[in-house]
Amino acid sequence: VSVFVTIVGTLLAMLVTVMTAYPLSKPKLRGRKFFLRIYIFVMLFSGGMVPNYLLFRSLHLLNTIWTLILPSMLSVFNMLIVKNFFEQLPESIEEAAIIDGASNMRVLFTIILPISTPVIATVSLFYAVDYWNNYFSAVLYITKQNLRPLQQYLYELIQSSMNLTD
């Protein structure tokens, strides 16, 4: 479960992060400042544990593997890192590709992403470590034994060994 959550979660989180950061890196995007302010507000003030639990319960996602993946799908901090990297890339590269007939998605996937491997590797590592170390989501949302991640098993092993010494 832990390996699946780490790999799938990192891949999906990177896809969502890149797809969010790329348009926000364009200065000509209408409403760019508004959306950036919304993301910053969400980064600073989250909904909290109880509203998240109620949301997952109403969506019938409790005791599914997706409750371990979805809450960490987009980190605003990581998105801002990728956005700032995209803003530093020369605009002439994209303009040349668009003149040659490439669509925005083709420009992103065939030109921008290969250039952006350093930031993608860094942010992917951030996401992978976050997913691997995520213990709290499993405690909140998972009650089935077969869906518990490795971290929960290790915690129970340590607790049982401490109870033996008492």
Side-chain angles (χ1 to χ4, degrees), residues 59-77:
L59 293 174
H60 304 290
L61 289 173
L62 296 181
N63 284 319
T64 65
I65 200 95
W66 297 106
T67 58
L68 301 176
I69 295 174
L70 290 177
S72 303
M73 187 80 83
L74 178 66
S75 166
V76 177
F77 178 75

Side-chain angles (χ1 to χ4, degrees), residues 1 14 80 94 99 110 127 153 155 157 160:
V1 171
M14 280 308 300
L80 291 174
E94 293 178 54
I99 289 172
T110 60
Y127 276 122
Y153 283 116
Y155 176 76
L157 181 69
S160 65

